[in-house]
């Protein structure tokens, strides 16, 4: 049995384990001797042995590592990525004993072409999953802080990163919104466990706090630019391009674009366009619309919030045509800032 159920956090950023616990109880009712239960969902190090196995024991009346066995193999799917698919990503596997690890490896080996990495223990496999996304979260937080500093100095972060990336060991991360159900959630599973064992994490939570604030940062920056315009008497109309939490996918869970919408909807009419997102999946508050077609010369401001390929294909000139004569364009993801586009010198024009 392979568990791939959601493991979110609650409003207090504490792991919400209700779904995975319910799934474990359901499996326990049909568990037989020699069965193997493999978790793929993000959990904190120790969860499989400390929570999952005892839950299965309690509701199945079978003995762990005698009658049934457990394993962990972290999910590594990258939504919207057409190159790095399941079979092309190295799979980490670990079992509750060596024979179980070998069986799990053999099963996944039937579909994984990239290879299998055997972790020495389930805890190591669990920890590997949470630090993969925590590391990425912190790297993006650092770049976001760079952006805040360079914005204040009137410098283009995009061009600074382009220059710095000419060094062979510079890591090419980009500023932006960090949402979704992985990078924006997984670090809290590690910090939860850390607190449980008496370690007070500082760097991880600092990065999370900064990344969680970026939606409001971008919204406030845009608002201040718009406020400097001469005409500010009427309620302006804003177009936001992109609602998904990342490029080329339809997933809006924990998307930080909602923070921008919430912030700006106090003062503006908001239209949102995302060719990947189904209207039925969106529950907008009053005054915000998810549109399927964009009319020309309608908007006082346009925010390019997500780096969809569809927006690159649309082109900068086409996007400009959606705005009126004095409209502002805010290219949060720096899609169109390069030497071939002399119009856009920074992320806002």
């Amino acid at each position: 049995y392979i568990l791939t159920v959601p493991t979110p956090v609650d409003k207090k950023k504490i792991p919400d384990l209700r779904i995975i616990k319910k799934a474990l109880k359901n499996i326990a009712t049909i568990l037989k001797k020699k069965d193997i239960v493999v978790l793929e969902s993000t959990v904190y190090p120790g969860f499989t042995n400390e929570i999952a196995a005892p839950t299965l024991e309690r509701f199945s009346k079978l003995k762990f590592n005698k009658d049934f066995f457990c394993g962990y193999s972290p999910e590594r799917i990258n939504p919207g990525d057409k190159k790095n698919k399941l079979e092309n990503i190295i799979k980490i596997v670990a079992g509750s004993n060596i024979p179980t690890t070998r069986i799990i490896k053999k099963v996944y080996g039937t579909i994984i072409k990239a290879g299998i990495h055997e972790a020495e223990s389930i805890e190591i496999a669990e920890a590997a999953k949470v630090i993969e996304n925590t590391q990425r979260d912190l790297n993006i937080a650092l770049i976001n802080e760079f952006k805040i500093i360079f914005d204040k100095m009137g410098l283009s972060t995009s061009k600074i990163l382009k220059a710095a990336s000419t060094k062979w060991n510079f890591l090419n991360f980009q500023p932006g919104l960090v949402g979704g159900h992985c990078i924006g959630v997984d670090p809290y599973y590690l910090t939860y466990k850390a607190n449980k064992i008496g370690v007070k994490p500082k760097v991880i939570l600092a990065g999370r706090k900064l990344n969680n604030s970026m939606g409001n940062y971008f919204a406030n920056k845009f608002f201040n630019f718009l406020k400097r315009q001469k005409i500010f008497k009427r309620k302006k109309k804003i177009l936001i391009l992109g609602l998904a939490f990342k490029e080329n996918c339809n997933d809006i869970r924990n998307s930080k674009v909602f923070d921008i919408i919430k912030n700006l909807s106090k003062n503006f009419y908001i239209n949102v366009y995302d060719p990947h997102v189904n209207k039925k999946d969106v529950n907008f508050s009053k005054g915000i619309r998810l549109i399927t077609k964009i009319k020309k010369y309608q908007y006082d401001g346009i925010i390019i919030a997500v780096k969809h390929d569809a927006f690159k294909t649309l082109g900068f000139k086409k996007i400009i045509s959606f705005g009126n004569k004095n409209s502002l364009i805010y290219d949060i993801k720096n899609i169109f800032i390069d030497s071939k586009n002399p119009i856009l010198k920074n992320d806002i024009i």
Side-chain angles (χ1 to χ4, degrees):
Y1 297 96
I2 298 174
L3 271 71
T4 61
V5 297
T7 47
V9 292
D10 61 21
K11 291 180 180 179
K12 294 182 179 180
K13 308 302 182 186
I14 296 171
D16 182 350
L17 302 170
R18 289 175 296 176
I19 300 171
I20 194 167
K21 285 181 178 179
K22 185 176 180 181
L24 287 164
K25 290 176 185 178
N26 288 340
I27 288 175
T29 63
I30 56 172
L31 203 62
K32 305 183 301 297
K33 287 187 177 182
K34 295 186 179 181
D35 281 351
I36 298 172
V37 180
V38 181
L39 280 68
E40 287 204 1
S41 306
T42 298
V43 292
Y44 53 79
F47 176 86
T48 303
N49 286 324
E50 296 167 11
I51 304 294
T55 300
L56 291 167
E57 271 192 333
R58 191 180 315 120
F59 290 94
S60 70
K61 308 301 182 183
L62 298 174
K63 189 69 177 175
F64 174 51
N65 258 355
K66 181 183 177 182
D67 299 323
F68 73 92
F69 308 89
C70 287
Y72 188 79
S73 181
E75 169 269 318
R76 281 176 159 175
I77 296 298
N78 187 23
D81 191 334
K82 295 178 181 179
K83 181 181 178 182
N84 298 305
K85 297 183 179 181
L86 175 64
E87 63 271 20
N88 301 325
I89 302 171
I90 293 174
K91 201 85 170 80
I92 297 174
V93 299
S96 52
N97 57 28
I98 293 174
T100 302
T101 301
R102 288 173 179 167
I103 293 171
I104 296 170
K105 180 181 179 181
K106 186 176 181 180
V107 171
Y108 280 115
T110 61
I111 59 169
I112 303 297
K113 298 175 183 177
I116 309 288
H117 175 86
E118 291 184 49
E120 285 77 4
S121 69
I122 287 176
E123 289 83 359
I124 287 174
E126 292 168 327
K129 169 61 177 176
V130 287
I131 71 165
E132 286 173 12
N133 285 326
T134 301
Q135 182 189 61
R136 185 166 178 80
D137 188 40
L138 285 171
N139 276 306
I140 297 171
L142 178 63
I143 302 300
N144 275 334
E145 189 155 72
F146 288 160
K147 178 169 179 56
I148 293 169
I149 294 168
F150 296 138
D151 280 355
K152 193 75 174 177
M153 298 173 68
L155 298 174
S156 169
T157 304
S158 177
K159 292 174 182 178
I160 292 167
L161 292 174
K162 186 177 180 180
S165 65
T166 58
K167 189 181 180 186
W168 72 93
N169 60 352
F170 185 81
L171 301 177
N172 189 26
F173 286 89
Q174 298 294 318
L177 301 167
V178 182
H181 50 90
C182 290
I183 298 178
V185 172
D186 292 2
Y188 293 119
Y189 274 76
L190 183 56
T191 57
Y192 171 81
K193 182 66 175 183
N195 280 306
K196 286 286 185 182
I197 60 173
V199 177
K200 300 296 180 184
K202 299 178 180 67
V203 177
I204 297 170
L205 291 176
R208 278 279 72 238
K209 184 178 180 181
L210 192 144
N211 279 341
N212 274 339
S213 72
M214 289 308 292
N216 285 327
Y217 172 79
F218 290 127
N220 289 332
K221 182 182 175 184
F222 185 71
F223 175 80
N224 290 331
F225 267 86
L226 202 57
K227 198 174 180 180
R228 292 172 196 170
Q229 288 188 322
K230 295 179 181 179
I231 304 171
F232 203 74
K233 294 178 182 179
R234 61 183 172 82
K235 197 169 185 181
K236 294 182 178 258
K237 198 173 180 182
I238 305 299
L239 172 67
I240 296 179
L241 296 176
L243 185 62
F245 84 88
K246 63 170 289 184
E247 61 270 14
N248 304 322
C249 80
N250 61 0
D251 197 339
I252 60 173
R253 284 178 292 175
N254 197 30
S255 171
K256 294 305 172 184
V257 179
F258 284 105
D259 290 347
I260 296 177
I261 294 169
K262 184 178 178 180
N263 186 303
L264 293 178
S265 61
K266 301 169 188 175
N267 298 288
F268 308 110
Y269 294 114
I270 308 292
N271 281 0
V272 182
Y273 174 75
D274 192 316
H276 293 279
V277 174
N278 190 321
K279 205 170 184 177
K280 294 179 182 178
D281 296 333
V282 183
N283 182 21
F284 281 112
S285 59
K286 189 177 180 180
I288 305 170
R289 293 195 307 143
L290 183 67
I291 60 175
T292 55
K293 290 184 179 180
I294 313 172
K295 294 180 181 180
K296 289 185 176 182
Y297 318 123
Q298 294 289 310
Y299 300 98
D300 301 288
I302 299 169
I303 298 176
I304 308 171
V306 185
K307 202 173 185 176
H308 287 323
D309 286 343
F311 298 152
K312 296 178 189 177
T313 303
L314 203 59
F316 191 64
K317 288 184 179 179
K318 183 72 173 179
I319 291 172
I320 288 177
S321 73
F322 300 144
N324 60 38
K325 187 177 180 182
N326 298 312
S327 65
L328 283 176
I329 313 291
Y330 192 0
D331 184 9
I332 287 177
K333 295 297 293 182
N334 296 325
I335 299 175
F336 298 106
I337 299 176
D338 57 41
S339 57
K340 296 177 182 178
N341 182 23
I343 304 173
L344 195 60
K345 298 293 184 183
N346 209 324
D347 51 19
I348 287 186
I349 62 164

